[in-house]
């Protein structure tokens, strides 16, 4: 559906530009936007590579294992259907830690592995388990200490103070994550 919406907006813009005699502006806008998109992608590729690499180093050094043990009681409370020694728990924890540090892209591989491991634990394959739904909702709300991606975007677009977003981001993501946890616990109670 979204593809049709985007296609319709593009066609309407081109047709409007043609009827108003602004095809040059439409062409210039498309080319400028394409150039800006490539520049932004290159910048974000560097940020993503840095943080994904740091997460891999943290994983290989044992730091993720130590963090997993530290927050294991919270993870067991959030995901009661996941055995504490199952691979899913480590992947979930890695994802949560990466999201907490604001490393959304570095969190993605762990999130995919976590969902795959959770699907192996799911006895009812036709629908998502409570733990799968909880993981998805908490992953989406993702409490963040440092919103790295937003800081990078703000820096790319010339913000005078790209880190000014840190305090509002901490507040907003804390509230969204607490709301997500409350929602998940209420829904888990209803399905039990």
């Amino acid at each position: 559906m979204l593809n049709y919406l985007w296609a319709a907006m593009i066609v309407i813009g081109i047709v409007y530009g043609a009827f108003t005699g602004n095809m040059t502006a439409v062409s210039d806008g498309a080319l400028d936007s394409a150039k800006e998109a490539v520049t932004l992608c290159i910048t974000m590729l560097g940020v993503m590579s840095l943080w994904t690499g740091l997460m891999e180093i943290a994983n290989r050094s044992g730091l993720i294992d130590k963090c997993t043990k530290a927050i294991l009681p919270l993870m067991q409370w959030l995901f009661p259907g996941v055995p504490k020694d199952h691979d899913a728990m480590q992947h979930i924890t890695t994802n949560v830690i990466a999201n907490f540090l604001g490393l959304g892209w570095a969190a993605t591989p762990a999130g995919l592995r976590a969902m795959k491991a959770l699907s192996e634990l799911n006895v009812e394959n036709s629908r998502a388990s409570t733990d799968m739904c909880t993981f998805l909702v908490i992953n989406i709300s993702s409490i963040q200490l440092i919103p790295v991606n937003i800081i990078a975007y703000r820096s790319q677009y010339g913000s005078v103070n790209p880190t000014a977003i840190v305090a509002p981001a901490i507040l907003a993501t804390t509230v969204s994550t607490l709301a997500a946890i409350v929602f998940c616990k209420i829904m888990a109670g209803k399905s039990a």
Side-chain angles (χ1 to χ4, degrees):
M1 178 64 189
L2 200 53
N3 290 338
Y4 295 120
L5 181 63
W6 282 111
M9 288 192 303
I10 290 169
V11 169
I12 290 169
I14 292 170
V15 169
Y16 181 79
F19 280 120
T20 59
N22 291 321
M23 281 306 290
T24 304
V26 171
S27 298
D28 290 345
L31 292 174
D32 289 343
S33 295
K35 178 182 172 187
E36 188 174 322
V38 169
T39 303
L40 181 61
C41 286
I42 290 170
T43 300
M44 296 313 291
L45 179 64
V47 171
M48 180 183 75
S49 299
L50 171 70
W51 290 110
T52 303
L54 287 175
M55 283 303 294
E56 186 61 28
I57 291 168
N59 192 23
R60 289 184 185 187
S61 71
L63 183 61
I64 298 297
D65 289 335
K66 289 178 185 175
C67 291
T68 299
K69 288 176 186 167
I71 64 172
L72 190 59
L74 175 63
M75 293 294 110
Q76 286 179 310
W77 178 72
L78 288 172
F79 304 98
V82 179
K84 69 179 181 178
D85 57 344
H86 195 273
D87 283 344
M89 192 59 77
Q90 177 155 356
H91 298 314
I92 290 169
T93 306
T94 302
N95 178 271
V96 168
I97 292 167
N99 276 325
F100 180 73
L101 295 174
L103 314 176
W105 287 328
T108 301
L112 293 172
R113 288 191 293 265
M115 197 56 84
K116 183 177 181 183
L118 287 170
S119 70
E120 292 168 4
L121 292 172
N122 188 10
V123 292
E124 190 178 323
N125 288 329
S126 64
R127 57 184 271 225
S129 68
T130 301
D131 288 323
M132 291 171 81
C133 293
T134 300
F135 175 68
L136 182 63
V137 171
I138 289 173
N139 185 45
I140 290 169
S141 69
S142 74
I143 188 169
Q144 290 186 4
L145 181 63
I146 306 166
V148 173
N149 294 340
I150 300 302
I151 292 170
Y153 288 136
R154 289 173 53 90
S155 179
Q156 173 72 24
Y157 289 108
S159 173
V160 175
N161 186 3
T163 58
I165 194 72
V166 171
I170 290 171
L171 178 63
T173 59
T174 299
V175 170
S176 71
T177 301
L178 290 174
I181 290 170
V182 168
F183 173 79
C184 290
K185 287 300 179 181
I186 290 171
M187 296 309 291
K190 286 184 178 183
S191 66

